[in-house]
Amino acid sequence: MAREFQRGHKAKISDLTPGTDLYVGVQIAAPGLTFDISCFGLDADEQLSDDRYFIFFNQPKSPEESIQLLGAQSGDTESFRVTLDRIPATIHKLSFTATLDGAGQMSQVGPGYIRIVAGGEEVVRYAFTGSEFTTERAVMLGDFYLKDVWRFAAVGQGFDGGLDALLKNFGGEVAEEEEEPAAPQAAPGFAPPAQATAPPAFAAPPAPPTPQAPQPAPSFGAPPAPAPQQPMHAAPTIAAPLTPQAPPPPAPYGQPGHQPPPPQFGQVPGQGAPPTPPYGQPAPAPYGQPAPAPYGQPAPFGQQPPGAPQGVPQGAPAAGAGLHAALQLYKETPTGQRWTPQNKQLMRVDLTMGGAGVLARQGSMVMYQGKVDFGYKGAGFVGRAVGNATGQEMQLMRCTGRGQVFLAEEGSYLHPIELQGDAICVSAESVLAFDESLQYEVRRVEGHGIPGGALFTMQFQGTGTVIIKTHGTPVVLPVTPTTFADCNAVVAWSAASQVIVSSQVRLRRNAYPGHSGETVNLQFRGAPGNFIVVQPYEV
């Protein structure tokens, strides 16, 4: 029986089916609208670094045929064959998308789905409707992503713009067809007029060629009930991915706009400009020329570059002058995930994905977009009593609604940790936010040699994400029989580890006046695979 996924749900492929040769079907339709359904093969940076892994109507398969476009069949608008064990190691994600070809918006679509079929049996389905979208012209439906093993995520994230904008978001661009210049015609030479011939006989125009029947999809386990094949529409443009974006080439010689820049002293004509210096620092002067004046100050008379008006400040950023160019580095990071780091100290959560709310530390919201409700999350009398007694009390707020919330606290470094049914122990002081679907409780750490004989921590378990915060960049260490950590510096550890509070205080007359200050620490033990997270700071 197929598992029904909601937006934001994730699972290991091995938990869904033991097979790796999979059929992916997409069903999406709306009256009078046409859709382009594609698959983007992305690298570890979620960029289309190899354009051969952009699978669409003009490129129906990857080089080793691990991803193949099959066409419409079995009631699906489009279908793919994905062989996971043949995908090269450079590909870390397969993103299945649907974009509008022509006018319209995604709110007009009827009920649709993306599904996975293994051996002819449907194993998972994510259904959606147009009511989940507004004016978007594209939607990211689902992802296969590699995180130690291949997993599947139901995304359902709308995207402004069509295929062109989506392609640019993944690091590509649309290449328009260029008109070839007409070949010059030679001047005609002297020749007598040709002999008159009889006019051609009237005839009907030739019949168009008979269209060829589409090739049948390979039989590898697609759904058994075939549907009538639908012809694939012609593409109005040619889409091609892009390597890193470069400025447009200069106009050809003799064409409007051709203004070759004069070469600088010591520079061979035709070579590119010198490398751009870091933002805020002046560019080095070419060899043999004086250094430019600091930004915002006019250059001395006689040192202005040729053609520059006198009195204009020199040294504008190489990326372009103006406010937009200066802020381009700090723009919002687009993504189709529920949790997205905007930088090391700012986290964004998309409440429209996943359905469940988010619990965050009170006062950690710095900005939000959309319709979001913030409510107080009480711990109850027993929870407050336990929190006060153990020092693991968290003052939380509940974030619900449809929108995006940006979270931060005192410039701490933020790290999302995704749990897939496993558990992790984190000090309450180091927790910023987490999915409400996670279970959490206070856990006791056994020990000896100190008053009370124990310390306490929070244990999170289930399926969801917890955001932990650290002072500086942490280090992750494997657990060995001789692993010790300062209890004030350790941030988190795997729940399967055995933790013991250890003390080095010796009972002697001058124990306290002469102790080292490192008398209490935590000893970790466990099987291979367990870990601890330590920050370069003591609370």
mmCIF file of all heavy atoms in Angstrom, residues 7 370 465:
data_model
loop_
_atom_site.group_PDB
_atom_site.id
_atom_site.type_symbol
_atom_site.label_atom_id
_atom_site.label_comp_id
_atom_site.label_asym_id
_atom_site.label_seq_id
_atom_site.Cartn_x
_atom_site.Cartn_y
_atom_site.Cartn_z
ATOM 1 N N ARG A 7 3.266 17.758 2.505
ATOM 2 C CA ARG A 7 4.349 18.668 2.180
ATOM 3 C C ARG A 7 5.360 18.704 3.330
ATOM 4 O O ARG A 7 5.006 18.867 4.486
ATOM 5 C CB ARG A 7 3.812 20.071 1.926
ATOM 6 C CG ARG A 7 4.893 21.081 1.610
ATOM 7 C CD ARG A 7 4.355 22.479 1.574
ATOM 8 N NE ARG A 7 3.411 22.698 0.489
ATOM 9 C CZ ARG A 7 2.826 23.861 0.229
ATOM 10 N NH1 ARG A 7 3.067 24.901 1.003
ATOM 11 N NH2 ARG A 7 1.986 23.990 -0.771
ATOM 12 N N GLY A 370 4.550 37.032 5.530
ATOM 13 C CA GLY A 370 3.318 36.277 5.432
ATOM 14 C C GLY A 370 2.446 36.449 6.661
ATOM 15 O O GLY A 370 2.627 37.361 7.484
ATOM 16 N N THR A 465 13.438 18.644 12.759
ATOM 17 C CA THR A 465 14.705 19.364 12.825
ATOM 18 C C THR A 465 14.783 20.172 14.111
ATOM 19 O O THR A 465 13.797 20.780 14.528
ATOM 20 C CB THR A 465 14.846 20.317 11.617
ATOM 21 O OG1 THR A 465 14.766 19.549 10.407
ATOM 22 C CG2 THR A 465 16.168 21.060 11.655
#
